[in-house]
Amino acid sequence: MSAFSSALYCSLEPEQDAAALRQLRPILEATGAELTIMGCVEEPSGLQRMFKRSGQVDQIVEAARGAERERLERFAKRVHLDDADVRVDSGTAAIAIIHQVLRAEHDLVVVGAGVETPHKATIKRLLRKCPAPVWVIRPSRARKPRVMAAVNPEPAELDLNLDIMATAATMHELAGGELHVVHAWELYGEDSLRYSAFMHLPEDDVEKMLAQELEGRTQALDELVASPSIARWPWRKHLRKGRPAVAVVDAVADQKINLLVLGSVARGGIPGLVMGNTAETILDKVTCSVLALKPDGFVSPIAHPNDG
């Protein structure tokens, strides 16, 4: 298995670090991936700098960075990750993390976060703008691993769908348990077909269209699961009628999913694809861990720290 080679763990909530790294450790051991543990301290605001001498402010920032580095180094030793590189930056957490990803070309970003995290804005910014996959690890007492891939089997997004499913399968391989794939679907314009005064159709016609849509979506999902690169895994398939932000969340709850793998940025604007704002909405509504991937060719809008 060679899905990841360089992981960046970002300590946003120190109380979540130990549990999160316990879940990350099997990935590191299975892939041989290198690990960097990163902390970030706040920069003083412009107003705060006005009331202190610039040299004094810089000393405060450096002292905070030194204390955070010592904390993370002690923590790394305590959890037997002595080989991990420890880095501490200052500034806006999301920007500092993305800059580190761009500098070191990490291919996985991991954050530990409670369900009611105070760092929601940082995590959502990473979902939108970080070029690497982002794994949000949440606390779990589940004894049986259950992994779910959320896909939309549109031909134009075949590569991303296969990447999502291969990643879910890789995570499943590490711990066993169950492996699921879900596709949320809708009949385009169903409300207008049923209720609009301008194009109201008989109920039987609408039901026939729904049946045809479901048949087509079922076939598309079957063909996706049968793709040579992922067919060998024991997929449990779920088709859920409804908007992805609702249907996927319901499927996660019904199947007691521990880890949901999905896409986080739309490339082609395809209706229904579980991406963009939908992915963020799902993240807010589920209590399981979430691993969000970007499509091939995604370029972060955050400038490389060495540019300019």
Side-chain angles (χ1 to χ4, degrees), residues 6-308:
S6 178
L8 176 66
Y9 179 78
C10 310
S11 179
L12 297 181
E13 299 177 40
E15 66 275 13
Q16 302 293 339
D17 288 347
L21 283 167
R22 276 197 299 271
Q23 294 188 51
L24 176 58
R25 185 188 296 278
I27 297 289
L28 302 176
E29 293 174 348
T31 62
E34 296 179 351
L35 175 65
T36 297
I37 300 176
M38 179 178 178
C40 187
V41 301
E42 291 185 7
E43 282 277 6
S45 67
L47 190 61
Q48 289 170 325
R49 283 187 175 275
M50 287 178 60
F51 291 107
K52 292 184 179 292
R53 296 191 302 273
S54 59
Q56 186 182 41
V57 170
D58 292 339
Q59 288 176 355
I60 293 172
V61 172
E62 286 305 308
R65 290 179 64 167
E68 178 68 353
R69 172 177 285 278
E70 287 184 4
R71 181 186 75 81
L72 292 176
E73 288 175 345
R74 288 197 304 270
F75 173 74
K77 289 180 180 179
R78 190 168 73 248
V79 296
H80 308 294
L81 289 170
D82 306 56
D83 293 339
D85 182 34
V86 174
R87 180 182 181 91
V88 178
D89 286 345
S90 58
T92 303
I95 301 299
I97 291 167
I98 293 171
H99 279 171
Q100 172 61 19
V101 170
L102 293 171
R103 275 192 300 263
E105 299 182 350
H106 299 291
D107 52 18
L108 178 65
V109 170
V110 184
V111 297
V115 175
E116 299 298 329
T117 176
H119 300 283
K120 189 176 295 185
T122 295
I123 292 171
K124 288 186 175 181
R125 200 168 187 180
L126 292 174
L127 292 184
R128 297 186 202 114
K129 299 181 178 182
C130 181
V134 177
W135 184 11
V136 183
I137 297 181
R138 285 168 165 165
S140 174
R141 296 181 179 177
R143 295 181 179 179
K144 186 176 184 179
R146 294 181 174 92
V147 181
M148 177 174 280
V151 299
N152 188 55
E154 292 280 351
E157 295 297 330
L158 176 62
D159 290 345
L160 178 60
N161 283 318
L162 291 177
D163 194 16
I164 290 169
M165 295 181 72
T167 301
T170 293
M171 305 299 276
H172 157 76
E173 276 192 335
L174 293 172
E178 298 175 0
L179 183 60
H180 300 252
V181 57
V182 61
H183 168 43
W185 67 277
E186 298 176 276
L187 175 62
Y188 178 75
E190 181 179 352
D191 286 348
S192 295
L193 294 171
R194 289 186 185 278
Y195 310 118
S196 172
F198 299 99
M199 61 177 307
H200 180 71
L201 292 182
E203 184 71 15
D204 288 348
D205 290 351
V206 177
E207 291 301 321
K208 186 180 297 184
M209 294 174 69
L210 279 169
Q212 292 172 344
E213 185 77 17
L214 176 57
E215 182 181 359
R217 299 294 185 123
T218 301
Q219 180 179 345
L221 184 58
D222 287 345
E223 290 175 354
L224 178 62
V225 171
S227 299
S229 62
I230 58 169
R232 65 186 177 91
W233 284 292
W235 298 99
R236 301 187 183 193
K237 294 176 287 187
H238 308 274
L239 281 99
R240 294 290 183 119
K241 183 176 182 293
R243 296 185 180 279
V246 176
V248 172
V249 171
D250 288 345
V252 166
D254 292 346
Q255 301 301 321
K256 298 180 173 60
I257 298 301
N258 315 128
L259 172 63
L260 176 65
V261 185
L262 43 63
S264 65
V265 176
R267 179 175 61 189
I270 296 173
L273 199 59
V274 183
M275 288 183 160
N277 292 335
T278 300
E280 294 175 22
T281 301
I282 290 172
L283 179 67
D284 284 342
K285 292 183 177 180
V286 298
T287 59
C288 66
S289 299
V290 174
L291 177 51
L293 279 61
K294 307 294 193 301
D296 288 341
F298 174 82
V299 177
S300 174
I302 304 299
H304 195 288
N306 295 338
D307 290 347

